[in-house]
Amino acid sequence: MIQIVLLLLILLLVLPALGALLRALGPALAGGFRRIALWLLLLLFVGLAATGRLGWVVPLAGAVFAVLLRLLPALLPLLPVLQRLWRRKTFDAAGESIVETPFLRMRLDRTTGEIRGEVLAGRLAGRQLYDLSSADLREFHAELLRADAESARLLGAYLDRVMGAGWRSGAGADEAAAAASPSGKMSRAEALAILGLQEGAQREAIVEAHRRLMQKLHPDRGGSDYLAAKINQAKDVLLRENR
């Protein structure tokens, strides 16, 4: 019995560490690691069986089965909750959604709804948007209108979020044109970053990620038409490729 308890304690310590390692390795390396680990586990099991050292497996399985039977009445009401948590696992792993253009990288914290932006190119490269004054942001937006329309749309969405739509008054026809829907084809990697998903996300996770983001960034809730369009485009890209 002591051996069984020690084994369970070791598993409780090792499994979280293995999970963190797999997340750090990335999807491709993690898949290879899992396959290697599965083969090693199978070989270990065969070796123990061949040498007659599997006597502890039967009492361990019996103990686990007995515990599960005892906990089953309490676990049954939790099944719907566990199912929802499982569907959201891929979405929650990343912690943030990212929209990137040649001049800007915008991050949305899905827990707080906070948007943070970083300038990637130009005279303000390396600066954080929250460090810039309102006048600097308006001037930067005017520069982006001439340099890159997609970056201008993204910065406009940020300004809508932090300053309200009133900043657009007097911005001119160029700004109105830049506020149109996103242009260009979206890659799968970009779509995953926008929805905060990892490679291998299934349809349920994609739909759930889209729903939760739209709750925070819908134009009627302080978001913008541009961000809503990007989120919709990301969902369409991933669902189309998952067919």
Side-chain angles (χ1 to χ4, degrees), residues 4-20:
I4 296 175
V5 173
L6 288 176
L7 180 60
L8 291 175
L9 289 175
I10 291 173
L11 288 175
L12 289 175
L13 293 174
V14 170
L15 290 178
L18 286 176

Side-chain angles (χ1 to χ4, degrees), residues 99 108 115 153-154 157-158 160-161 179-182 186 194-195 209-211 213-236:
V99 181
L108 168 71
I115 289 183
R153 295 185 184 101
L154 183 56
Y158 173 82
D160 286 342
R161 184 81 167 183
S181 300
M186 180 181 292
I194 289 173
L195 293 185
H210 173 268
R211 183 186 68 82
L213 279 175
M214 289 300 288
Q215 286 179 343
K216 293 183 179 296
L217 294 177
H218 193 277
D220 294 338
R221 302 184 180 184
S224 70
D225 292 332
Y226 172 79
L227 289 177
K230 293 287 282 189
I231 295 168
N232 287 332
Q233 186 181 7
K235 183 191 74 169
D236 292 342

Side-chain angles (χ1 to χ4, degrees), residues 84-105:
R84 287 196 297 271
L85 290 175
W86 176 259
R87 288 180 178 179
R88 294 180 182 180
K89 182 187 69 169
T90 311
F91 179 67
D92 292 335
E96 62 183 10
S97 298
I98 301 174
V99 181
E100 188 170 319
T101 66
F103 283 82
L104 291 170
R105 179 184 294 120

Side-chain angles (χ1 to χ4, degrees), residues 88-135:
R88 294 180 182 180
K89 182 187 69 169
T90 311
F91 179 67
D92 292 335
E96 62 183 10
S97 298
I98 301 174
V99 181
E100 188 170 319
T101 66
F103 283 82
L104 291 170
R105 179 184 294 120
M106 210 73 69
R107 300 176 185 271
L108 168 71
D109 187 312
R110 297 197 307 272
T111 302
T112 64
E114 177 190 7
I115 289 183
R116 295 173 288 112
E118 177 187 0
V119 183
L120 302 179
R123 63 181 180 85
L124 298 176
R127 297 285 301 275
Q128 300 293 322
L129 293 183
Y130 59 70
D131 287 333
L132 302 177
S133 66
S134 297

Side-chain angles (χ1 to χ4, degrees), residues 45-56:
F45 185 84
V46 171
L48 291 174
T51 56
R53 297 178 181 177
L54 284 180
W56 53 271

